Amino acid sequence: MATILAVLMYVSYIPQIINNLQGDYSNPIQPLVAAVNCTFWSIYAYFKMDRDWPVFWANIPGVFFGLAAFITALHV
């Protein structure tokens, strides 16, 4: 259940990304920090002795959606 909720939490960046692309920019700091956090959790889960797949798969969407929200919020 926690894995599903974590994935939903990061998928919820989609409306923010859409708003960023339409010119209604949000603050880029939070999604960047989320992406970095998810990256470290994914690395940890993948490289530990007994891979922790639920933790890995719960954080992978956060890497991609967090980076997408960050990049689209940069006003570039």
Side-chain angles (χ1 to χ4, degrees), residues 2-14:
T3 300
I4 292 168
L5 289 173
V7 169
L8 291 174
M9 178 174 56
Y10 296 119
V11 169
S12 70
Y13 276 129
I14 292 172

Side-chain angles (χ1 to χ4, degrees), residues 19-65:
N19 287 342
N20 289 339
L21 292 172
Q22 293 176 345
D24 185 17
Y25 299 106
S26 61
N27 189 320
I29 300 300
Q30 194 278 331
L32 175 63
V33 172
V36 170
N37 179 56
C38 290
T39 300
F40 278 98
W41 274 111
S42 297
I43 290 169
Y44 163 77
Y46 186 82
F47 287 106
K48 68 183 275 195
M49 184 74 71
D50 295 320
R51 290 192 174 129
D52 195 342
W53 291 114
V55 171
F56 178 82
W57 289 114
N59 285 282
I60 283 295
V63 174
F64 294 106
F65 287 116

